[in-house]
Amino acid sequence: MERPLIAVLLVVGLLIGLGVGSAYTRARRGWADYQTVKKSVPGARKTAWLLIRAVTTKVGVIALLLVGAVAYAAAGSDDETAGPAPSPSVTSPSPSPSERAGR
């Protein structure tokens, strides 16, 4: 009578041990991953700020160029001081040789 009870207790103990062991392994692996990521955060943060600074600088330069272009366009050109442009002259067609001879 004792053997089946011991076998059942052994199987139940193995199942509980298997569940607890796999949970412990998962927890250790998660802790190791957490420590790895925790050590890499300062470097990633520094890289992120460098990238943000580079993008901000490029956006600032483009904005300054656009403001300069708008200011240049608003100031107008120097064409008014040069005076009006000459208009094209209308020329009459020259007479053909036969018309000249008939005069």
Side-chain angles (χ1 to χ4, degrees):
M1 196 74 173
E2 279 186 34
R3 281 189 184 234
L5 182 63
I6 291 176
V8 169
L9 288 176
L10 181 64
V11 169
V12 169
L14 283 173
L15 290 175
I16 291 173
L18 182 67
V20 171
S22 65
Y24 178 75
T25 303
R26 215 173 310 127
R28 292 285 297 179
R29 189 172 42 236
W31 182 254
D33 291 344
Y34 168 75
Q35 292 298 325
T36 303
V37 171
K38 184 179 173 184
K39 289 176 185 173
S40 70
V41 165
R45 186 178 296 140
K46 188 175 184 180
T47 303
W49 279 114
L50 286 174
L51 292 174
I52 288 171
R53 188 178 306 140
V55 168
T56 305
T57 302
K58 288 178 185 177
V59 168
V61 168
I62 290 171
L64 284 174
L65 288 173
L66 288 174
V67 167
V70 169
Y72 179 76
S77 63
D78 293 337
D79 289 341
E80 293 88 21
T81 59
S87 62
S89 62
V90 179
T91 58
S92 61
S94 61
S96 64
S98 61
E99 290 176 356
R100 284 188 210 159
R103 277 196 201 172

